Amino acid sequence: MLHGRMGKTQHKVRFNMNSDIDVKKQLEIPSNITEFFSLSGSVSVITGGASGLGEAIALGLAAFGSDIVLLDRNEAGLAGVKQRIDGMGRDCHTFRLDVTSWESVNEVKEQ
């Protein structure tokens, strides 16, 4: 039994270490972790996807099976990231977008 104090209240937590439950069997964790966290069949939309953190997020999501929609002002950067994602066998669509402009947002929304 573990004891802890938070303020003036004493909390007791009990752990039953003699349990018959096989956690791995119950969760059916696959040997390949990408299967467990698969994003296959999903589409992820990333703003700022031409470089930096947006690029890293897009590549990570694509690695786990998501198709990608990249939005950014930097068309050259978008083309480079799209090429890398296409090389992973994922669908990738790019749109030039300035998120500070409602006109730009509405143009992309119409596409």
Side-chain angles (χ1 to χ4, degrees), residues 43-72:
V43 176
S44 301
V45 179
I46 296 108
T47 59
S51 63
L53 189 55
E55 176 183 7
I57 291 168
L59 293 170
L61 292 168
F64 280 86
S66 180
D67 292 329
I68 304 294
V69 176
L70 292 174
L71 308 169
D72 202 298

Side-chain angles (χ1 to χ4, degrees), residues 32-102:
N32 184 346
I33 200 69
T34 56
E35 292 174 19
F36 188 71
F37 291 104
S38 175
L39 296 173
S40 184
S42 65
V43 176
S44 301
V45 179
I46 296 108
T47 59
S51 63
L53 189 55
E55 176 183 7
I57 291 168
L59 293 170
L61 292 168
F64 280 86
S66 180
D67 292 329
I68 304 294
V69 176
L70 292 174
L71 308 169
D72 202 298
R73 295 181 297 176
N74 178 353
E75 291 182 83
L78 285 172
V81 178
K82 177 181 175 24
Q83 184 177 11
R84 291 177 69 187
I85 292 171
D86 287 343
M88 298 168 89
R90 306 306 324 152
D91 288 335
C92 181
H93 301 278
T94 62
F95 297 94
R96 186 182 186 291
L97 172 72
D98 179 357
V99 295
T100 65
S101 164
W102 280 111

